Amino acid sequence: MQQTTLVRRVLVAAGVAAGTVALTAGCKVQTAPVSGASPPGAYGSHHARTDQGSGSGSGSGSDDKLATGVRPWPSWPGSSNSSSSSGSASSAGNAASHRPHAPTHPHTHHAPHTPRPAAKKPHPPTTKPLGTPDRRCRTGRVLCISKKSDTLAWMVDGKVVAAMDVRFGSQYSPTREGAFKVDFKSRDHVSTIYHTAMPYAMFFSGGQAVHYSSDFAARGYAGASHGCINVRDKKKIAALFREVRKGDRVVVYR
């Protein structure tokens, strides 16, 4: 009888030991995989792998309980973790695809530049050479005007200070020749006879004056004045107008 009781105790002790070994084996599943072992994520689960082979029901149950709540392994290629990551990456990629793309070439190509048409120059564009000054122009302040060379020279004490092209009256209204003096000046004069503008007018013989002519600037010598001396360079006549004084001499000669 005592011998039978002893045998039972030994068997019970052996059973407890077997359970402990099984429990210990279940805990070891959570340790890091050894070299050459299959990665946990390769089995398609976010939990640690549990062996589903042959064994007692209690052993399998213990493995499932131990695996529950265990922090999953890092994603491996082909695992579900990797799939979710790639899904997030593809979503980000789709979002990025809707963003405006940077230009392929760093240098932007513009349409060819169309040059603006050049400003219309006075006709003719060249300035006539000065003629030989009349001997009456060699002293004092003189507007020395030559019909032969179609030029006006502003001379002070025998030296040419400024020069410009001029145009005279036609044969029906010729410009008078001789020695005169500037009677008066009118900056924005308008003819009372022809009702035309005569800017920078410097009168020297009755109604005849030296002044700027827009017609002379546009048509050149194709036209003529009504007896006045026309200047086509507006800047030059404006500067001359500031220099000439009332009483300065005017000499018109051939």
Side-chain angles (χ1 to χ4, degrees):
M1 187 71 178
Q2 292 179 351
Q3 187 175 3
T4 302
T5 302
L6 180 59
V7 170
R8 288 179 178 177
R9 289 180 180 180
V10 171
L11 293 175
V12 171
V16 173
T20 304
V21 170
L23 181 61
T24 304
C27 294
K28 286 184 179 179
V29 174
Q30 301 178 47
T31 58
V34 296
S35 177
S38 299
Y43 291 89
S45 172
H46 289 285
H47 302 295
R49 177 192 172 191
T50 55
D51 293 329
Q52 301 296 329
S54 59
S56 63
S58 61
S60 300
S62 299
D63 287 345
D64 291 338
K65 291 181 180 180
L66 289 174
T68 303
V70 177
R71 184 175 180 179
W73 291 103
S75 301
W76 289 70
S79 67
S80 57
N81 281 348
S82 177
S83 300
S84 62
S85 300
S86 62
S88 301
S90 62
S91 300
N94 292 336
S97 64
H98 295 288
R99 299 175 185 171
H101 295 283
T104 305
H105 302 287
H107 302 289
T108 304
H109 297 283
H110 300 282
H113 174 68
T114 303
R116 295 181 179 180
K120 188 175 182 180
K121 297 181 179 180
H123 175 80
T126 57
T127 300
K128 290 178 173 289
L130 287 174
T132 303
D134 187 88
R135 59 183 178 81
R136 293 169 290 181
C137 302
R138 296 174 183 173
T139 59
R141 297 162 57 90
V142 188
L143 289 171
C144 194
I145 304 167
S146 171
K147 285 188 174 181
K148 184 177 180 180
S149 62
D150 293 330
T151 58
L152 178 155
W154 168 235
M155 300 181 69
V156 178
D157 298 331
K159 295 181 179 180
V160 178
V161 178
M164 56 204 74
D165 298 343
V166 293
R167 183 179 71 173
F168 302 96
S170 68
Q171 59 180 343
Y172 304 104
S173 55
T175 302
R176 290 184 284 272
E177 299 174 12
F180 312 92
K181 289 185 178 179
V182 175
D183 296 326
F184 71 97
K185 297 164 61 179
S186 179
R187 167 68 173 75
D188 299 302
H189 193 79
V190 178
S191 173
T192 57
I193 300 174
Y194 303 104
H195 307 288
T196 56
M198 301 169 57
Y200 307 107
M202 295 172 279
F203 290 89
F204 62 89
S205 177
Q208 293 188 357
V210 177
H211 66 84
Y212 170 74
S213 170
S214 59
D215 179 76
F216 182 26
R219 298 199 300 148
Y221 293 96
S225 74
H226 294 287
C228 289
I229 298 173
N230 295 160
V231 177
R232 61 179 170 187
D233 192 318
K234 196 171 187 178
K235 289 184 178 180
K236 286 186 176 182
I237 188 66
L240 180 64
F241 184 85
R242 291 190 297 266
E243 293 295 325
V244 173
R245 305 168 188 166
K246 181 181 178 180
D248 288 340
R249 291 186 297 126
V250 179
V251 177
V252 183
Y253 67 99
R254 286 190 180 274

